[in-house]
Amino acid sequence: MATEASCIFCKIIKNEIPSFKLIETETVYSFLDIQPTTVGHLLVVPKYHGAKLHNVPDAYLKDILPVTKKLAVSLGLDVDSPLGAGYNVLQNNGRIAHQEVDHVHFHLIPKRDSVTGLGVGWPAKQADMKDLAALHEELVRKLGDK
Ligand code: 5GP
Ligand code: ZN
């Protein structure tokens, strides 16, 4: 495992500072967020120090979603309630994208009402189909080069 001595999440993984640990696998560690936006807000982190998603090898990402899914079920978020409880999985990369801790982490955030949990500002607008087609062509070409 790649670790960074000064990283708070590396310290949590190594049990150098305490956390309310949930599931741990060979490649993943999960624990309750210390500043939750709602009850049950938790974090799932790879046991590999990488600041952004592209810095983490695939092997350290394979357990992330299965573990997140198990945790969602343990929080009862799989039960469709009359009020329609849901949840968000959020992973921020870079300060401008609201990343505070530079060790990749996935938030699991229950959404039980309009006030608590994640609030999303989403500036969607109808795409110009010509722009979309040009972007698609460029990306498909780049992906083909890999
Ligand atoms: P980010 O904004 O980087 O996506 O989220 C970082 C998250 O880590 C925040 O929700 C914050 O509350 C949480 N966090 C930061 N330091 C600690 C800590 O020492 N322990 C725990 N459990 N969570 C932390
Ligand atoms: Zn780290």
Side-chain angles (χ1 to χ4, degrees):
M1 164 186 160
T3 61
E4 167 63 52
S6 63
C7 170
I8 193 130
F9 288 174
C10 285
K11 287 181 186 171
I12 285 176
I13 293 165
K14 287 186 280 180
N15 214 13
E16 288 173 6
I17 61 172
S19 70
F20 289 103
K21 180 174 119 173
L22 297 162
I23 299 172
E24 181 173 10
T25 74
E26 220 176 289
T27 58
V28 155
Y29 190 99
S30 61
F31 54 103
L32 294 177
D33 194 298
I34 207 163
Q35 284 189 294
T37 58
T38 185
V39 174
H41 182 160
L42 57 85
L43 301 171
V44 183
V45 307
K47 288 177 165 177
Y48 182 100
H49 182 85
K52 295 180 182 172
L53 188 60
H54 62 269
N55 300 130
V56 178
D58 291 355
Y60 287 87
L61 297 173
K62 69 175 173 49
D63 285 354
I64 296 275
L65 286 179
V67 164
T68 305
K69 195 168 89 176
K70 251 185 218 163
L71 291 165
V73 172
S74 78
L75 285 164
L77 299 171
D78 57 325
V79 179
D80 284 327
S81 78
L83 288 175
Y87 56 96
N88 296 95
V89 177
L90 175 71
Q91 196 267 314
N92 300 324
N93 296 277
R95 292 287 173 278
I96 196 167
H98 305 286
Q99 182 178 17
E100 300 282 335
V101 177
D102 290 335
H103 179 131
V104 165
H105 50 280
F106 291 72
H107 298 256
L108 171 58
I109 310 172
K111 188 68 181 167
R112 302 184 182 92
D113 54 61
S114 62
V115 179
T116 64
L118 182 69
V120 179
W122 192 277
K125 60 178 175 55
Q126 193 57 49
D128 178 313
M129 286 302 150
K130 272 198 237 124
D131 291 346
L132 217 51
L135 175 63
H136 179 248
E137 191 185 317
E138 181 191 336
L139 290 175
V140 167
R141 182 165 32 77
K142 283 184 181 161
L143 288 166
D145 292 344
K146 299 275 167 196

Short mmCIF file of all heavy atoms in Angstrom, two decimals, residues 8-9 12 31-35 43 92 98-101 105 107, ligand 1:
data_model
loop_
_atom_site.label_atom_id
_atom_site.label_comp_id
_atom_site.label_asym_id
_atom_site.label_seq_id
_atom_site.Cartn_x
_atom_site.Cartn_y
_atom_site.Cartn_z
N ILE A 8 -4.15 12.49 6.62
CA ILE A 8 -5.07 12.14 7.71
C ILE A 8 -5.78 10.80 7.44
O ILE A 8 -5.99 10.01 8.37
CB ILE A 8 -6.08 13.29 7.96
CG1 ILE A 8 -6.82 13.08 9.26
CG2 ILE A 8 -7.06 13.45 6.85
CD1 ILE A 8 -6.82 14.29 10.14
N PHE A 9 -6.11 10.53 6.17
CA PHE A 9 -6.80 9.27 5.88
C PHE A 9 -5.83 8.08 5.92
O PHE A 9 -6.21 6.98 6.34
CB PHE A 9 -7.55 9.34 4.55
CG PHE A 9 -8.80 10.21 4.60
CD1 PHE A 9 -9.53 10.48 3.46
CD2 PHE A 9 -9.24 10.75 5.80
CE1 PHE A 9 -10.68 11.27 3.52
CE2 PHE A 9 -10.37 11.55 5.88
CZ PHE A 9 -11.09 11.81 4.72
N ILE A 12 -5.66 7.26 9.49
CA ILE A 12 -6.87 6.53 9.92
C ILE A 12 -6.77 5.07 9.50
O ILE A 12 -7.02 4.16 10.30
CB ILE A 12 -8.14 7.22 9.35
CG1 ILE A 12 -8.42 8.51 10.13
CG2 ILE A 12 -9.35 6.28 9.40
CD1 ILE A 12 -9.58 9.33 9.62
N PHE A 31 -15.48 4.37 7.06
CA PHE A 31 -15.69 4.92 8.41
C PHE A 31 -16.66 6.10 8.35
O PHE A 31 -16.90 6.68 7.28
CB PHE A 31 -14.34 5.37 9.01
CG PHE A 31 -13.56 6.34 8.16
CD1 PHE A 31 -13.52 7.70 8.46
CD2 PHE A 31 -12.85 5.90 7.04
CE1 PHE A 31 -12.80 8.60 7.67
CE2 PHE A 31 -12.12 6.79 6.24
CZ PHE A 31 -12.10 8.13 6.56
N LEU A 32 -17.21 6.43 9.52
CA LEU A 32 -18.17 7.54 9.60
C LEU A 32 -17.47 8.88 9.41
O LEU A 32 -16.38 9.11 9.97
CB LEU A 32 -18.88 7.54 10.96
CG LEU A 32 -19.80 6.35 11.25
CD1 LEU A 32 -20.37 6.45 12.66
CD2 LEU A 32 -20.94 6.27 10.22
N ASP A 33 -18.08 9.76 8.63
CA ASP A 33 -17.55 11.12 8.43
C ASP A 33 -17.71 11.90 9.74
O ASP A 33 -18.74 11.84 10.41
CB ASP A 33 -18.31 11.82 7.29
CG ASP A 33 -17.60 13.06 6.80
OD1 ASP A 33 -17.44 14.03 7.60
OD2 ASP A 33 -17.23 13.09 5.62
N ILE A 34 -16.66 12.64 10.09
CA ILE A 34 -16.64 13.37 11.37
C ILE A 34 -17.48 14.65 11.31
O ILE A 34 -17.85 15.20 12.35
CB ILE A 34 -15.18 13.67 11.79
CG1 ILE A 34 -15.07 13.79 13.30
CG2 ILE A 34 -14.63 14.89 11.11
CD1 ILE A 34 -13.65 13.67 13.81
N GLN A 35 -17.79 15.13 10.12
CA GLN A 35 -18.66 16.30 9.98
C GLN A 35 -19.81 15.94 9.04
O GLN A 35 -19.89 16.43 7.90
CB GLN A 35 -17.89 17.49 9.40
CG GLN A 35 -16.96 18.16 10.41
CD GLN A 35 -16.38 19.45 9.85
OE1 GLN A 35 -15.60 19.42 8.89
NE2 GLN A 35 -16.75 20.57 10.42
N LEU A 43 -17.57 7.56 4.71
CA LEU A 43 -16.55 7.63 3.67
C LEU A 43 -15.99 6.24 3.38
O LEU A 43 -15.80 5.44 4.30
CB LEU A 43 -15.40 8.54 4.12
CG LEU A 43 -15.77 10.00 4.46
CD1 LEU A 43 -14.59 10.71 5.10
CD2 LEU A 43 -16.23 10.75 3.21
N ASN A 92 -15.08 13.84 -4.86
CA ASN A 92 -14.59 15.14 -5.33
C ASN A 92 -13.11 15.05 -5.69
O ASN A 92 -12.34 14.42 -4.97
CB ASN A 92 -14.77 16.19 -4.25
CG ASN A 92 -16.23 16.37 -3.83
OD1 ASN A 92 -17.13 16.28 -4.67
ND2 ASN A 92 -16.47 16.62 -2.56
N HIS A 98 -14.43 20.96 -4.66
CA HIS A 98 -14.79 20.78 -3.24
C HIS A 98 -14.04 19.66 -2.54
O HIS A 98 -14.52 19.14 -1.53
CB HIS A 98 -16.31 20.59 -3.08
CG HIS A 98 -17.11 21.69 -3.68
ND1 HIS A 98 -17.21 22.93 -3.11
CD2 HIS A 98 -17.81 21.75 -4.84
CE1 HIS A 98 -17.94 23.72 -3.88
NE2 HIS A 98 -18.31 23.03 -4.94
N GLN A 99 -12.86 19.28 -3.05
CA GLN A 99 -12.06 18.27 -2.34
C GLN A 99 -11.23 18.96 -1.25
O GLN A 99 -10.48 19.90 -1.55
CB GLN A 99 -11.13 17.52 -3.29
CG GLN A 99 -10.32 16.42 -2.60
CD GLN A 99 -9.42 15.65 -3.57
OE1 GLN A 99 -9.15 16.10 -4.69
NE2 GLN A 99 -8.95 14.50 -3.14
N GLU A 100 -11.36 18.51 -0.02
CA GLU A 100 -10.62 19.08 1.12
C GLU A 100 -9.47 18.16 1.52
O GLU A 100 -8.41 18.64 1.93
CB GLU A 100 -11.54 19.24 2.33
CG GLU A 100 -12.74 20.16 2.12
CD GLU A 100 -12.36 21.62 2.19
OE1 GLU A 100 -11.35 21.93 2.84
OE2 GLU A 100 -13.06 22.44 1.58
N VAL A 101 -9.68 16.85 1.46
CA VAL A 101 -8.66 15.88 1.87
C VAL A 101 -8.09 15.22 0.62
O VAL A 101 -8.83 14.60 -0.16
CB VAL A 101 -9.25 14.82 2.82
CG1 VAL A 101 -8.19 13.78 3.18
CG2 VAL A 101 -9.82 15.46 4.08
N HIS A 105 -11.55 9.63 -1.76
CA HIS A 105 -12.59 9.10 -0.87
C HIS A 105 -13.94 9.25 -1.54
O HIS A 105 -14.19 10.21 -2.26
CB HIS A 105 -12.56 9.81 0.48
CG HIS A 105 -12.55 11.30 0.40
ND1 HIS A 105 -11.40 12.01 0.13
CD2 HIS A 105 -13.54 12.21 0.51
CE1 HIS A 105 -11.69 13.31 0.10
NE2 HIS A 105 -12.99 13.45 0.32
N HIS A 107 -17.90 9.59 -0.71
CA HIS A 107 -18.91 9.85 0.31
C HIS A 107 -20.15 9.00 0.00
O HIS A 107 -20.59 8.96 -1.16
CB HIS A 107 -19.37 11.31 0.25
CG HIS A 107 -18.33 12.34 0.53
ND1 HIS A 107 -18.25 13.02 1.72
CD2 HIS A 107 -17.34 12.86 -0.25
CE1 HIS A 107 -17.26 13.90 1.68
NE2 HIS A 107 -16.69 13.82 0.49
P1 5GP B 1 -14.04 16.31 0.68
O1 5GP B 1 -14.56 17.73 0.77
O2 5GP B 1 -12.53 16.27 0.60
O3 5GP B 1 -14.70 15.52 -0.41
O4 5GP B 1 -14.48 15.61 2.03
C1 5GP B 1 -13.61 15.37 3.10
C2 5GP B 1 -14.45 14.76 4.20
O5 5GP B 1 -13.61 14.20 5.17
C3 5GP B 1 -15.35 15.79 4.94
O6 5GP B 1 -16.71 15.38 4.85
C4 5GP B 1 -14.82 15.77 6.35
O7 5GP B 1 -15.84 15.91 7.31
C5 5GP B 1 -14.14 14.42 6.45
N1 5GP B 1 -13.03 14.37 7.38
C6 5GP B 1 -11.96 15.21 7.40
N2 5GP B 1 -11.12 14.88 8.40
C7 5GP B 1 -11.66 13.78 9.01
C8 5GP B 1 -11.24 12.97 10.11
O8 5GP B 1 -10.21 13.18 10.74
N3 5GP B 1 -12.05 11.93 10.44
C9 5GP B 1 -13.21 11.67 9.77
N4 5GP B 1 -13.94 10.61 10.17
N5 5GP B 1 -13.63 12.40 8.73
C10 5GP B 1 -12.87 13.46 8.36
#
